[in-house]
């Protein structure tokens, strides 16, 4: 079955620095890759997603890149702020005809932004 | 609040008891998912529905777990004869299948925390 690996498990950066989180997936049929942010005791919230027909997507300080050949995708956060501190999860799924099937999640990255 | 709603938010139960969680998806969302999350781990897929049809169940889901979505709206997840290993947060999520490829986001609820003592 599908497997998603995520690294690093913890990441500490200084405010204003960039943070990069990397994931790899095993199922070549996967074509939808969302990233979720989860604060302690809260629900996972989608922050950005990318589909396999594009290689990069950006939304203000957040960007995601996808390398289908290598089955890698990465989250980039620039100009980090203390409120970016949270656990970030990558996920992979198949999405045909607009129907997102089950998401397979990575193990998460605890990002700590030091003021 | 028109988000995914889950009840109860917290449940403490004795080992061997049955528990039931309820999920109310976002209105008009026809897909509903159940996930389980333990501390330090990502959400783990359990099962999902499209309308009232249960389309897939994880092979990790033991026969003590059962989920229903009888009218294609709210869903319940029941755990029978709870074990300490069932302690986790049970997340419900929903999405809309629009009928054409436009992409659809999966929205999560706040989760139901289960502690089995």
């Amino acid at each position: 079955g599908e497997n998603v690996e995520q690294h690093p498990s913890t990441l500490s950066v200084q405010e204003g620095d960039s943070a990069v989180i990397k994931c790899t997936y095993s199922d070549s049929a996967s074509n939808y890759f969302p990233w979720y942010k989860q604060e302690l005791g809260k629900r996972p919230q989608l922050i950005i997603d990318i589909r396999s027909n594009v290689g990069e997507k950006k939304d203000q300080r957040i960007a995601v890149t996808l390398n289908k050949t290598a089955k890698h995708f990465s989250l980039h956060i620039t100009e980090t702020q203390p409120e970016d501190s949270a656990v970030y999860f990558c996920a992979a799924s198949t999405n045909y005809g607009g129907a997102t099937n089950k998401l397979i999640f990575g193990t998460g990255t605890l990002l700590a932004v030091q003021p | 609040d028109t988000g995914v709603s889950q009840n109860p938010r917290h449940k403490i139960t004795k080992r061997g008891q049955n528990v039931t969680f309820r999920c109310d998806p976002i209105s008009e969302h026809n897909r509903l998912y159940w996930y389980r999350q333990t501390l330090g781990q990502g959400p783990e897929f359990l099962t999902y529905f499209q309308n009232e049809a249960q389309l897939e169940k994880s092979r990790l889901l033991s026969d003590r777990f059962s989920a229903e979505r009888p009218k294609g709206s709210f869903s319940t997840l029941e755990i029978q004869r709870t074990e300490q290993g069932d302690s986790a947060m049970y997340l419900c999520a929903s999405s809309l299948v629009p009928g054409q490829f436009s992409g659809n986001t999966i929205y999560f609820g706040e989760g139901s925390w289960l502690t089995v003592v």
Side-chain angles (χ1 to χ4, degrees):
Chain A
E2 172 72 282
N3 184 52
V4 177
E5 294 188 357
Q6 184 171 347
H7 300 280
S9 56
T10 59
L11 180 59
S12 181
V13 300
Q14 291 295 123
E15 182 177 359
D17 288 349
S18 295
V20 180
I21 303 170
K22 299 182 179 181
C23 289
T24 61
Y25 60 98
S26 61
D27 188 351
S28 56
S30 295
N31 60 358
Y32 174 64
F33 308 93
W35 286 87
Y36 284 82
K37 175 183 179 182
Q38 187 176 31
E39 298 176 356
L40 188 63
K42 299 292 187 180
R43 72 183 79 193
Q45 291 193 299
L46 180 76
I47 55 172
I48 195 167
D49 57 14
I50 191 168
R51 304 181 192 283
S52 59
N53 58 344
V54 298
E56 183 174 358
K57 183 176 179 181
K58 189 174 182 180
D59 182 4
Q60 298 183 342
R61 296 186 297 109
I62 295 173
V64 58
T65 59
L66 171 65
N67 181 331
K68 287 192 298 181
T69 303
K71 297 181 189 172
H72 289 172
F73 57 114
S74 299
L75 177 71
H76 304 253
I77 305 174
T78 59
E79 301 172 23
T80 53
Q81 301 167 4
E83 50 266 38
D84 294 330
S85 297
V87 179
Y88 291 81
F89 293 99
C90 62
S93 175
T94 54
N95 184 331
Y96 295 104
T100 301
N101 293 325
K102 61 185 180 184
L103 294 174
I104 303 300
F105 284 85
T107 50
T109 296
L110 174 61
L111 173 64
V113 180
Q114 308 298 330
Chain B
D1 186 349
T2 57
V4 178
S5 177
Q6 292 188 243
N7 289 288
R9 292 293 318 282
H10 300 89
K11 179 71 176 180
I12 300 174
T13 191
K14 292 183 178 179
R15 188 174 52 188
Q17 298 295 305
N18 299 343
V19 296
T20 299
F21 299 113
R22 175 180 169 124
C23 173
D24 288 90
I26 293 172
S27 180
E28 298 180 354
H29 277 195
N30 46 12
R31 283 221 167 171
L32 187 147
Y33 307 78
W34 284 102
Y35 283 81
R36 176 171 60 193
Q37 186 177 25
T38 54
L39 285 175
Q41 298 297 315
E44 174 191 32
F45 171 78
L46 295 179
T47 187
Y48 82 95
F49 295 82
Q50 179 156 329
N51 301 314
E52 65 275 9
Q54 189 172 20
L55 297 186
E56 186 173 349
K57 290 173 60 175
S58 168
R59 55 187 170 84
L60 300 175
L61 202 64
S62 81
D63 56 8
R64 297 185 296 104
F65 288 69
S66 62
E68 294 182 341
R69 195 183 183 197
K71 298 182 180 179
S73 56
F74 73 91
S75 174
T76 57
L77 176 68
E78 181 182 19
I79 309 173
Q80 296 182 325
R81 305 181 302 282
T82 52
E83 301 173 357
Q84 288 189 321
D86 297 331
S87 296
M89 180 165 68
Y90 290 85
L91 286 162
C92 179
S94 70
S95 68
L96 176 64
V97 178
Q100 61 181 352
F101 186 82
S102 62
N104 53 299
T105 300
I106 293 180
Y107 297 90
F108 283 86
E110 295 282 5
S112 292
W113 287 93
L114 173 65
T115 301
V116 182
V117 297

